[in-house]
Amino acid sequence: MNILLKSAKIVAPNNKELHLKKRDILIKNGVIEDIAANLDVQGKTKPIQLKNLHVSLGWFDSSVSFGEPGYEERETIENGLYTAAKSGFTDIVLNPNTNPLPDSSSDIVFLKNASKNAATTLHALGTLTVKSEGESLAELYDMKTAGAVGFYDYKLPLRNSNLLKIALQYAHNFNGLVHSFPMDLQIAGKGIVNEGEVSTRLGLKGIPNLAEELNIVRDLFILEYTGGKLHIPTISTANSVKLIAEAKKKGMDVSCSVAVHNLCFTDETLIEFDSHYKLMPPLRTQSDRKALIKGIKDGTIDFVTSDHRPMDIEHKRVEFDNASDGTIGLESAFGMLNRIFDLDTTISLLTKGRERYGIETPSFKVGENAALTLFDPDEEYTFEEQHILSNSSNSCFLGSKLKGKVYGIVSNNQIIN
């Protein structure tokens, strides 16, 4: 496949030579053949001319859920990867929350084979424990050998402190990345939203910040003792940012992420009992939201994720107490982040994080495989159901004002636009 991107403004904050320059980009058989002010190519080359076309390195999302195998009514691998591609993501890390759960090497091989022809590359996580039950470690080394980029019992905190210690020690031998979801279930109890003024006003059971922070303190103490690599996904409180910043100052190998929705909304959105806003971790206060944004800007928070979690209508359009957690977020991630941050920061956030998972970061230069995202950063619109590409429509961003439209990607010798 040969294509020519015409008059594309390149957004590459780490590349002074190309950053904000308008260039033609020739791609032949999936490889960047030439980058110049004006290219006139003849023959079997497809020209791509789009309104206010901007191009960056392909985007990366560290926390995406689909449904297949087991929950295809929520999302299939094929449509999930197409949604990711149309949303600008050339690489996604897939959470282990299917049925059966991926807790063996054969499960990882299945996911890789099921996604091998897609434009967006799927990188699979395996479970940390067998069936994510928290009783015994899964086949970590075998899954790593089969291609797993890390290990995670999705949204399930590990209650057994000794098992986390053993996991970190064992995975350290082969540079494995252990995930630990920050939530003390005994402190959280039957809470479903942030504990505070709003939960009291609405009569909903709350989850205090302490439930998250207590688990982080425990995990950091264990990491300091064992060594190894720890990732704390989707933090949500101001004190969590502070705790992780202190650990990094000590030189500990810890990373963390935050979900886009925790940067955009607070628990004040719950006043209408809309189950689209029932999330885990829950939406916190305005002071927490500001601390998370500050943590991104000062580098404490390593990367941002859509935390995309499709959920079928039967699990969402029910009473708030009974609704499942989660929101889709791939389609709206860029438009929401581009509202909060300037364009350079937004693109930096969307392109970082691969190294933590041992994934090679693409290069924006001649001779390299093309892994590019195509977008218009200026178009403003209201996010509505017509913009949803996922099989499920459980989006907490419906009705939100977005800034920036994604055209698609060029990746794996394919163009999706």
Side-chain angles (χ1 to χ4, degrees):
M1 179 196 69
N2 299 338
I3 63 173
L4 178 64
L5 302 177
K6 291 292 295 181
S7 300
K9 182 176 280 191
I10 297 172
V11 184
N14 296 325
N15 187 334
K16 293 181 180 179
E17 190 177 318
L18 292 176
H19 185 46
L20 299 183
K21 301 291 195 305
K22 192 170 279 192
R23 296 287 186 267
D24 288 358
I25 304 168
L26 177 63
I27 299 167
K28 287 188 175 181
N29 298 318
V31 176
I32 300 174
E33 183 81 7
D34 201 359
I35 302 173
N38 185 40
L39 293 172
D40 185 19
V41 179
Q42 306 297 324
K44 295 181 180 180
T45 298
K46 180 181 179 181
I48 304 294
Q49 291 184 291
L50 298 165
K51 176 188 172 185
N52 195 27
L53 176 60
H54 286 59
V55 178
S56 73
L57 283 179
W59 301 344
F60 170 76
D61 194 332
S62 65
S63 179
V64 173
S65 300
F66 294 150
E68 184 181 359
Y71 304 112
E72 286 83 358
E73 71 278 6
R74 298 176 186 175
E75 188 59 278
T76 62
I77 291 173
E78 181 181 9
N79 189 67
L81 290 173
Y82 174 75
T83 299
K86 287 289 288 182
S87 303
F89 295 91
T90 58
D91 296 87
I92 60 103
V93 173
L94 187 68
N95 289 313
N97 59 336
T98 52
N99 185 21
L101 290 161
D103 59 2
S104 68
S105 57
S106 59
D107 297 317
I108 302 300
V109 170
F110 166 79
L111 292 170
K112 290 183 67 176
N113 288 338
S115 62
K116 63 182 179 182
N117 295 321
T120 295
T121 302
L122 182 155
H123 306 276
L125 290 172
T127 64
L128 184 62
T129 65
V130 175
K131 297 181 180 179
S132 288
E133 292 175 346
E135 298 295 330
S136 57
L137 291 182
E139 300 174 3
L140 305 189
Y141 179 73
D142 288 349
M143 288 192 288
K144 170 80 170 180
T145 302
V149 295
F151 313 105
Y152 182 22
D153 290 349
Y154 179 69
K155 304 285 187 184
L156 296 171
L158 196 59
R159 299 190 190 198
N160 187 331
S161 300
N162 190 54
L163 198 58
L164 177 62
K165 176 179 76 73
I166 293 169
L168 284 165
Q169 290 173 324
Y170 177 53
H172 191 32
N173 293 313
F174 52 87
N175 200 33
L177 180 62
V178 172
H179 292 55
S180 179
F181 182 66
M183 185 66 66
D184 186 304
L185 294 178
Q186 290 177 309
I187 297 291
K190 295 181 180 180
I192 55 174
V193 298
N194 178 59
E195 181 183 84
E197 180 185 333
V198 173
S199 65
T200 302
R201 198 163 70 229
L202 300 179
L204 296 172
K205 293 179 179 177
I207 302 173
N209 289 12
L210 177 66
E212 176 172 305
E213 296 154 8
L214 195 61
N215 222 68
I216 289 176
V217 169
R218 181 203 70 166
D219 292 357
L220 292 175
F221 266 113
I222 293 173
L223 178 65
E224 190 171 20
Y225 176 81
T226 60
K229 293 168 59 176
L230 177 67
H231 179 63
I232 302 174
T234 57
I235 65 171
S236 67
T237 79
N239 204 34
S240 294
V241 178
K242 182 180 177 183
L243 290 166
I244 292 168
E246 291 171 351
K248 288 186 171 186
K249 285 179 183 176
K250 291 182 180 180
M252 295 162 65
D253 194 351
V254 60
S255 58
C256 67
S257 64
V258 63
V260 173
H261 43 261
N262 284 98
L263 300 175
C264 301
F265 305 118
T266 68
D267 56 359
E268 291 288 344
T269 61
L270 301 173
I271 56 174
E272 294 182 359
F273 294 93
D274 186 343
S275 63
H276 284 127
Y277 296 101
K278 189 180 182 187
L279 305 164
M280 185 57 64
L283 299 174
R284 302 289 188 181
T285 65
Q286 180 72 351
S287 60
D288 288 312
R289 189 185 77 86
K290 288 181 178 179
L292 293 170
I293 292 173
K294 183 175 182 292
I296 288 171
K297 290 179 177 178
D298 67 23
T300 300
I301 297 175
D302 297 271
F303 32 89
V304 175
T305 172
S306 70
D307 203 23
H308 180 84
R309 189 182 188 185
M311 194 60 61
D312 52 275
I313 192 170
E314 287 82 1
H315 288 86
K316 267 297 183 182
R317 291 194 184 174
V318 295
E319 295 85 356
F320 192 93
D321 282 20
N322 298 323
S324 296
D325 303 316
T327 178
I328 58 171
L330 285 170
E331 299 97 319
S332 49
F334 171 63
M336 292 302 292
L337 287 174
N338 198 35
R339 247 183 53 187
I340 301 171
F341 304 101
D342 61 65
L343 182 59
D344 283 8
T345 302
T346 297
I347 297 304
S348 293
L349 290 173
L350 288 168
T351 53
K352 69 191 298 192
R354 289 177 174 87
E355 297 87 350
R356 188 61 173 165
Y357 290 87
I359 302 166
E360 185 177 354
T361 299
S363 298
F364 207 138
K365 59 184 180 182
V366 173
E368 297 289 334
N369 289 331
L372 306 174
T373 299
L374 318 179
F375 59 97
D376 172 358
D378 299 325
E379 183 169 331
E380 297 187 8
Y381 63 100
T382 299
F383 188 71
E384 298 173 345
E385 287 207 13
Q386 70 193 54
H387 300 115
I388 292 176
L389 302 171
S390 304
N391 286 338
S392 297
S393 57
N394 57 306
S395 174
C396 68
F397 300 101
L398 287 169
S400 296
K401 301 290 185 182
L402 271 59
K403 182 184 178 186
K405 173 185 177 181
V406 180
Y407 290 120
I409 62 171
V410 178
S411 183
N412 290 334
N413 198 21
Q414 299 178 53
I415 180 167
I416 305 292
N417 73 326

